[in-house]
Amino acid sequence: MEPTTASISPAASLPVEAPATGATIGEVPSLDGDQVAELAAAARAAQPDWEAAGFAARAAVFRTAQRWLIENSARMLDTICSETGKTADDGQVEVTVAAQSFGFWAKMAPKYLADEKLRSRSPLAFGRKVVIRYSPVGVVGVIGPWNYPLVNAFCDCVPALMAGNAVLMKPSEVTPLTALLTAEMMKASGMPPGVLQVATGARAAGEAVIDESDFVMFTGSTRTGKAVMERAARTLTPVSLELGGKDPMIVCADADVDRAANAAVYYAMNNSGQVCISIERVYVEDPVYDAFVAKVLDNVKDLRQGPPAGPGEVEVGAITFAPQLEIIERHVLDARERGASVLAGGRRRPGEGRFYEPTVLVGVDHTMACMREETFGPTLPIMRVSNSDEAVRLANDSPYGLQASVFTRDMDKGERIARRLQAGAVTINDAQVNYTVFDAPMGGWKSSGIGVRHGPAGIRKYCKTQSILFMPLAPKRDVHMFPYRPWRSKLMARVVRWMYGR
């Protein structure tokens, strides 16, 4: 399905590659700025009627889309896996989370965006009523990443659409086919023409989406996020940014080592480590270090890697984005040169496609890129520490602050450690699962982003707030109005001293 309304030259196209084989599996239009502006104009024209339709009508569309997604899950899975190279099980995660997202926002949007009655404590507001309302911003630009073309691209559109906005979605040029299938899904589910526009293309398309939108949601690298924010500043367009992470895992001496090792391998290497909230570095207290490393290696040696196959057939898929493979190789080589040992993997897999073997590194420290920079690959660097205080210090020694995890049998201790970690989300004896808790906000600290997705703030960010003040029983003149009188001014001053000077 092609984006609507833009006049696209047949020569302006982008090829789409299958990372697992290197084969070209399709091509999509590559829009320029003027063509994106046409899409934005159509979205802006369609938005008022979509807003006026109300929550119930919008929810009905998403409940229909939820059924469509499940009924067409094989087609969606095939599209996702073919252009990302992820396994069938990793693709199924996208379908499952997306279906959950549709139902959640269909149900919760009316509650989160309902008018709020405010009881003010201001003495000047005596006798008055205040209502706060949420109004859609208009056109929301969503610029999605290549690692999760359904969950981290279209699912950011869902609350924006449920709030009554039109959406201009720019998928990654690496994985645009899922976005086009999503647009087909929404059309089949009853979304009015123009409300959701897909702007396929490269940098020019992304810049135009920023220029034409009233709010921008971006997921991707910190470097690109800064460029998005800089461009949005030219038009004073607000942004929400979910950026890079170097998510630490702390394994305490009293942890369930089996649980910790299983979680470390899965949450470091699911989706081939291409998850913003992957476990990217592990700090293990000395008493359980050797046992933890041994169990990790036992787990890693049994992992199967290869092109997408049937459910349950392969654990680790391909590297979606070619330049990412070079970053992974650079981080592992840097670690080796600085004295780290590679206990498993450590190389690009021979043969066709882009694969990097599941890799375990030990003897690592903070002089190494694998402990400082986002790797975004199937690697697990493990560092021995003397105690949890050292682990917390090292975990916080990072420009990033997206997510962290703590493994301990003592929940009180786990919470104390969590509260010391500089991250927007912390899990205890778990990782990544918090993403599916749509009720709770998720966002990064430090260089990991601005704003949140999920929770009330995850939909209110797509709205303008308006405060309405009512004076039901209004006298002809309030005490503070003109003309001023000495006795009245002195009386008001005494009231202020009585209220606030005691």
Side-chain angles (χ1 to χ4, degrees), residues 134-479:
Y134 298 93
S135 176
V137 295
V139 175
V140 172
V142 175
I143 303 176
W146 45 259
N147 61 329
Y148 281 92
L150 179 59
V151 164
N152 271 357
F154 182 68
C155 284
D156 279 326
C157 302
V158 179
L161 290 164
M162 274 303 305
N165 295 289
V167 167
L168 189 57
M169 177 169 66
K170 195 283 185 187
S172 167
E173 59 268 34
V174 179
T175 56
L177 300 180
T178 302
L180 295 176
L181 180 56
T182 301
E184 180 183 329
M185 171 183 69
M186 298 311 298
K187 180 180 179 181
S189 301
M191 178 158 285
V195 174
L196 173 66
Q197 301 282 8
V198 178
T200 54
R203 179 172 178 170
E207 291 176 344
V209 166
I210 298 168
D211 295 343
E212 299 293 336
S213 299
D214 302 307
F215 186 97
V216 175
M217 172 68 206
F218 170 80
T219 302
S221 71
T222 297
R223 178 180 59 82
T224 307
K226 290 178 179 178
V228 169
M229 192 172 184
E230 183 276 330
R231 190 170 187 98
R234 302 178 193 179
T235 51
L236 289 180
T237 301
V239 299
S240 182
L241 309 173
E242 202 240 64
L243 306 177
K246 191 66 183 174
D247 304 334
M249 173 183 180
I250 295 174
V251 182
C252 298
D254 65 343
D256 179 334
V257 178
D258 287 306
R259 166 75 182 180
N262 288 331
V265 173
Y266 177 75
Y267 291 117
M269 300 186 185
N270 67 317
N271 207 47
S272 298
Q274 300 165 115
V275 187
C276 297
I277 50 177
S278 281
I279 291 173
E280 287 237 350
R281 50 195 170 116
V282 186
Y283 304 99
V284 186
E285 288 194 59
D286 184 71
V288 294
Y289 176 86
D290 292 333
F292 176 83
V293 171
K295 291 180 184 296
V296 163
L297 290 173
D298 282 343
N299 197 326
V300 168
K301 69 180 175 60
D302 294 328
L303 295 179
R304 297 163 294 179
Q305 185 176 43
E313 296 292 328
V314 179
E315 281 84 30
V316 183
I319 303 303
T320 304
F321 187 41
Q324 199 64 42
L325 189 55
E326 298 174 5
I327 293 172
I328 298 166
E329 289 181 312
R330 176 172 62 82
H331 284 193
V332 174
L333 177 62
D334 172 78
R336 276 181 162 140
E337 290 177 344
R338 294 176 184 272
S341 298
V342 178
L343 301 186
R347 63 171 188 160
R348 183 190 301 223
R349 201 184 78 159
E352 68 177 11
R354 289 193 295 271
F355 295 89
Y356 198 89
E357 294 180 349
T359 298
V360 178
L361 297 162
V362 296
V364 295
D365 59 44
H366 276 221
T367 67
M368 302 174 187
C370 70
M371 298 295 282
R372 302 286 300 170
E373 302 173 17
E374 186 174 37
T375 306
F376 224 59
T379 63
L380 188 62
I382 307 171
M383 183 173 178
R384 187 193 302 263
V385 295
S386 57
N387 53 48
S388 60
D389 287 338
E390 182 184 10
V392 169
R393 178 180 61 79
L394 290 167
N396 289 339
D397 180 24
S398 172
Y400 298 108
L402 190 57
Q403 182 150 323
S405 56
V406 181
F407 283 74
T408 174
R409 286 188 169 91
D410 185 338
M411 293 299 99
D412 290 337
K413 180 173 79 173
E415 183 177 355
R416 288 195 299 272
I417 293 173
R419 290 175 177 272
R420 295 170 61 196
L421 292 170
Q422 297 167 1
V426 183
T427 58
I428 300 172
N429 295 333
D430 222 330
Q432 290 187 14
V433 178
N434 63 289
Y435 189 99
T436 69
V437 183
F438 287 101
D439 320 68
M442 177 190 163
W445 291 10
K446 300 192 281 189
S447 292
S448 287
I450 294 173
V452 300
R453 56 161 58 97
H454 302 164
I459 189 169
R460 290 176 181 169
K461 70 183 181 184
Y462 297 125
C463 296
K464 300 169 287 191
T465 58
Q466 183 181 59
S467 297
I468 304 174
L469 185 144
F470 303 82
M471 183 61 164
L473 300 174
K476 295 187 182 298
R477 179 185 292 134
D478 287 338
V479 67

Side-chain angles (χ1 to χ4, degrees), residues 486-500:
W487 67 268
R488 195 167 61 209
S489 299
K490 293 175 182 177
L491 175 62
M492 292 180 67
R494 285 197 294 270
V495 169
V496 170
R497 283 195 296 271
W498 176 79
M499 292 183 66
Y500 302 120

Side-chain angles (χ1 to χ4, degrees), residues 106-128:
K107 179 180 179 181
M108 298 305 295
K111 177 181 177 181
Y112 288 159
L113 300 183
D115 287 357
E116 297 178 15
K117 294 182 180 179
L118 177 68
R119 293 188 63 181
S120 175
R121 295 179 60 85
S122 170
L124 292 179
F126 180 77
R128 293 162 173 82

Side-chain angles (χ1 to χ4, degrees), residues 23-93:
T24 298
I25 55 176
E27 63 178 34
V28 299
S30 182
L31 306 192
D32 61 25
D34 291 339
Q35 292 165 329
V36 173
E38 290 182 45
L39 296 183
R44 202 169 293 283
Q47 186 271 329
D49 287 343
W50 176 244
E51 177 185 357
F55 288 114
R58 297 195 290 269
V61 171
F62 276 104
R63 291 195 177 97
T64 302
Q66 192 178 48
R67 293 191 295 272
W68 189 100
L69 180 60
I70 298 304
E71 291 168 1
N72 294 273
S73 59
R75 185 180 171 201
M76 183 65 78
L77 271 173
D78 181 66
T79 303
I80 292 172
C81 293
S82 64
E83 68 176 350
T84 63
K86 66 178 64 183
T87 68
D89 294 82
D90 287 335
Q92 183 60 50
V93 169

